[in-house]
Amino acid sequence: SSGINAEYGDTSKGEGSQFYFWTGFLSYVLGLGMTIGILTIFNAAQPALLYLVPTCVGIPLLLSLAKGDFTSLIAYDEEAEQNTPETSSTPEPDCKKTE
């Protein structure tokens, strides 16, 4: 699984390279905690996504603004990464049977 974690979570890039992975992970834990807390306090079930989406998307975006990474985070293109010579493979031959 490549994706944005390959760009921002690769351990081979040195110290601090897992910043957005841990930010996303802790944001998820916070959103899940909010869901359980609201459920417990108000004794009413709420959709977990009501809390997970704002925390998992909002917190990393706000921190990217603070770090100055917002533009590169928004401009990330997984297709461009997959088409690099390092990761592209030779296309499979056409296996159609001819008679």
Side-chain angles (χ1 to χ4, degrees):
S1 96
S2 57
I4 202 155
N5 227 12
E7 177 79 14
Y8 292 101
D10 187 6
T11 56
S12 66
K13 292 187 179 183
E15 191 173 328
S17 62
Q18 293 186 340
F19 178 77
Y20 290 104
F21 169 79
W22 286 109
T23 300
F25 176 75
L26 294 174
S27 297
Y28 180 80
V29 171
L30 176 66
L32 199 57
M34 288 171 53
T35 302
I36 293 169
I38 296 296
L39 173 67
T40 304
I41 292 169
F42 294 106
N43 199 22
Q46 295 291 323
L49 292 178
L50 181 66
Y51 304 102
L52 291 176
V53 171
T55 57
C56 291
V57 173
I59 292 173
L61 286 178
L62 289 173
L63 289 176
S64 72
L65 276 170
K67 285 186 68 172
D69 291 339
F70 183 78
T71 306
S72 66
L73 190 67
I74 293 299
Y76 179 78
D77 183 11
E78 187 173 347
E79 287 183 20
E81 177 184 303
Q82 289 176 352
N83 293 330
T84 60
E86 300 167 353
T87 58
S88 65
S89 61
T90 57
E92 293 291 324
D94 192 10
C95 297
K96 290 182 181 176
K97 208 175 199 182
T98 57
E99 294 183 33

